[in-house]
Amino acid sequence: MRILIKDGTVVTAADAYRADLLVDGETIVAIGRGAAEATADRVIDAGGKYVLPGGIDVHTHLDMPFGGSNSSDDFETGTRAAAFGGTTSVIDFAIQYKGETLQKAFENWLARAEGKAVGDYGLHLVMTDLNDAIIDEMASMVRQGVTSFKLFMAYPGVFMADDAMIYRALVRAGSLGGLVCMHAENGWVIDVLVREALAKRQTEPRHHALTRPPITEGEATQRSLTLAEAAGAPIYIVHLSASQALDAVCAARDRGLPAYAETCPQYLFLSAENYEEPDFNGAKYVMSPPLRPKEHQAALWRGLATGDLQAVSTDHCPFNFKGQKELGRGDFSKIPNGAPGIETRLYLMYDGGVGEKRISLNRFVELTATAPAKLFGLFPRKGTVAVGSDADLVVWDPSAKHVLSAATHHMNVDYNPYEGRQVTGAPTHVLSRGEVIVEGDKFLGRRGRGQFLRRGSFGG
Ligand code: URP
Ligand code: ZN
Ligand code: ZN
């Protein structure tokens, strides 16, 4: 199948230029002017539209077990919703449970994805139980294309890693060309604050945020950066939300250290005020780190514009309000942590970022596709529009209006954190490896067509 995308403006992290683009099979084979339509099986008119690389979301939790149930999007519904929002590749988190090998965790998550995913997917490995054998096994993961490892400094007794474990993982990952992704919150201090709040019968959702104050993220971020420096290894801070954490990343980068960080749309567009929504609706925003007071947003936007933050991912981890979030009525610590966002990332970053002139069009592409591809070993196969790259493409109408709503979204969750927000800019066609999988509001892809992405080493 040869598809000609005609007369669009091709946008990469570096350029924006009018061109015709020819896709043959799964690959972009030509970019130029005056392409002959007769050689194509199909022509997509992209006049007045942008042609962007497919979005890459490097932080998702699809089909993730939590407190007896699972996050409500599996690999099929999640990657389908991602495609509707212009994201064609995700990197999800396989979890090593206590006593398990990394191979077991890897195969467990492959089984969740294979035969279901609509778009391509890679995996990070969450390590919760580290010993000599597991340290050794990290090499086998890297050989199999799992080149990044997540550690938690929060959730004591469940996922939390101590400093020794963190240090050893950093040294090993660094020597293997891998990257450690860090959930940086001081879990011990948070546990004390949660127990104190519950003892005082402070049970509403807003106490989730009050018991995880910004300083606990700032401290853990600084500590993880120091451990990475001691280990001589790169580090990637996930879902950075607080200005104190950003200050620590900036200082490390200013000293030339290989420190990287992402933030997520929820920290840019929502705030701690959302926890005040009545009738337990604040539970919809219970995630970790929590939403912050509004003043943190300006710091994050500055970090995105200056380059101190390198990527925008979603931390998509949806739980239905009915039946899942409600488990925490009367005890905020029992509210499943996480919120949906896999479908809304590009809409929000284009409308609120490019549209509001906070970031350029090129930076939008860099943050949502190119930098994630480079950091996580997918570039140049993914993350750009170039001859030889996978034809993961989004034809983007910069003037289309769209309303974000649970009534129309494709995520398998009963609420949308941005309910009723009108955005400008929307995809008209989404291609994954040369196949049009979304056209307007029609899904044309297939369950199970997504492929596992064997990633290369860290490319910071
Ligand atoms: O609240 C969150 N972020 N849930 C997903 C798990 C994690 O920590 O990333
Ligand atoms: Zn996390
Ligand atoms: Zn996460």
Side-chain angles (χ1 to χ4, degrees):
M1 176 81 166
R2 283 161 74 88
I3 301 178
L4 179 66
I5 303 179
K6 211 171 162 47
D7 207 24
T9 298
V10 172
V11 185
T12 68
D15 300 298
Y17 55 94
R18 288 277 287 280
D20 305 328
L21 192 147
L22 186 64
V23 172
D24 193 352
E26 301 196 341
T27 312
I28 301 169
V29 294
I31 305 176
R33 293 295 298 186
E37 294 189 16
T39 65
D41 302 305
R42 177 170 180 194
V43 178
I44 296 173
D45 177 9
K49 305 198 176 83
Y50 297 135
V51 182
L52 314 173
I56 302 176
D57 187 348
V58 299
H59 191 151
T60 67
H61 300 277
L62 300 171
D63 199 7
M64 188 189 85
F66 186 96
S69 65
N70 284 32
S71 58
S72 58
D73 265 319
D74 64 11
F75 275 83
E76 180 182 0
T77 62
T79 55
R80 184 172 174 274
F84 270 104
T87 289
T88 49
S89 302
V90 302
I91 308 183
D92 203 82
F93 290 89
I95 302 175
Q96 176 215 20
Y97 294 105
K98 303 266 183 230
E100 270 183 10
T101 61
L102 302 183
Q103 187 66 30
K104 176 91 195 294
F106 176 41
E107 287 169 10
N108 180 354
W109 251 261
L110 274 184
R112 288 165 197 265
E114 274 170 353
K116 281 191 166 183
V118 164
D120 293 346
Y121 55 93
L123 294 171
H124 312 278
L125 231 140
V126 176
M127 298 194 297
T128 67
D129 195 2
L130 210 65
N131 52 43
D132 290 348
I134 299 295
I135 287 279
D136 210 42
E137 204 193 358
M138 287 169 71
S140 159
M141 289 297 107
V142 170
R143 280 197 299 275
Q144 293 176 76
V146 178
T147 53
S148 43
F149 303 87
K150 183 177 181 186
L151 295 172
F152 283 89
M153 299 171 92
Y155 310 120
V158 187
F159 293 136
M160 192 169 108
D162 63 24
D163 288 359
M165 185 169 156
I166 293 169
Y167 176 75
R168 294 189 75 196
L170 280 161
V171 171
R172 179 72 166 152
S175 74
L176 292 168
L179 182 61
V180 167
C181 303
M182 189 63 75
H183 177 128
E185 287 187 296
N186 186 317
W188 288 124
V189 172
I190 288 167
D191 250 25
V192 172
L193 297 175
V194 169
R195 269 187 271 118
E196 284 175 1
L198 292 175
K200 287 187 253 172
R201 299 200 191 290
Q202 295 170 336
T203 60
E204 303 87 6
R206 72 164 169 282
H207 293 287
H208 172 74
L210 295 172
T211 55
R212 310 180 89 92
I215 196 167
T216 57
E217 187 184 346
E219 183 279 329
T221 303
Q222 179 57 66
R223 179 158 39 101
S224 68
L225 292 165
T226 305
L227 292 170
E229 184 175 3
I235 188 165
Y236 179 84
I237 309 294
V238 295
H239 47 43
L240 187 147
S241 71
S243 62
Q244 290 89 332
L246 181 56
D247 290 345
V249 171
C250 290
R253 291 178 64 81
D254 285 350
R255 291 200 297 115
L257 295 171
Y260 305 89
E262 65 177 22
T263 190
C264 311
Q266 53 269 34
Y267 302 118
L268 298 164
F269 296 102
L270 304 171
S271 77
E273 287 174 15
N274 291 93
Y275 293 116
E276 305 303 329
E277 291 182 15
D279 302 327
F280 196 61
N281 277 281
K284 293 174 177 172
Y285 311 95
V286 165
M287 62 188 80
S288 296
L291 299 178
R292 301 297 185 191
K294 276 214 165 92
E295 57 268 22
H296 292 262
Q297 292 175 353
L300 297 180
W301 280 113
R302 202 166 47 247
L304 291 173
T306 59
D308 283 316
L309 292 169
Q310 290 74 47
V312 175
S313 69
T314 64
D315 194 11
H316 177 75
C317 190
F319 295 100
N320 285 307
F321 183 73
K322 292 227 173 312
Q324 293 192 298
K325 289 285 185 181
E326 282 181 335
L327 295 171
R329 275 193 198 274
D331 179 350
F332 69 86
S333 72
K334 295 203 165 60
I335 301 170
N337 279 211
I342 205 166
E343 186 173 353
T344 47
R345 181 178 65 133
L346 265 57
Y347 286 112
L348 289 162
M349 293 308 296
Y350 184 81
D351 179 71
V354 182
E356 296 294 324
K357 303 201 182 328
R358 288 161 161 150
I359 52 172
S360 70
L361 185 58
N362 302 108
R363 185 77 179 132
F364 162 72
V365 168
E366 187 169 28
L367 289 166
T368 56
T370 315
K374 286 183 176 173
L375 284 163
F376 289 98
L378 291 172
F379 190 84
R381 178 179 168 196
K382 310 273 190 197
T384 193
V385 181
V387 171
S389 293
D390 280 1
D392 289 0
L393 297 164
V394 180
V395 180
W396 184 267
D397 181 348
S399 55
K401 306 273 185 220
H402 179 74
V403 177
L404 307 179
S405 171
T408 51
H409 74 203
H410 302 85
M411 299 179 285
N412 184 35
V413 62
D414 62 3
Y415 74 97
N416 189 309
Y418 309 95
E419 186 64 41
R421 181 181 170 123
Q422 181 176 291
V423 289
T424 301
T428 62
H429 299 77
V430 178
L431 285 76
S432 164
R433 279 182 286 101
E435 205 177 317
V436 179
I437 58 170
V438 170
E439 185 167 353
D441 56 8
K442 286 197 295 291
F443 179 66
L444 304 174
R446 259 179 356 273
R447 169 187 161 96
R449 65 167 295 290
Q451 293 179 356
F452 172 66
L453 295 167
R454 283 176 75 104
R455 295 180 290 117
S457 54
F458 159 68

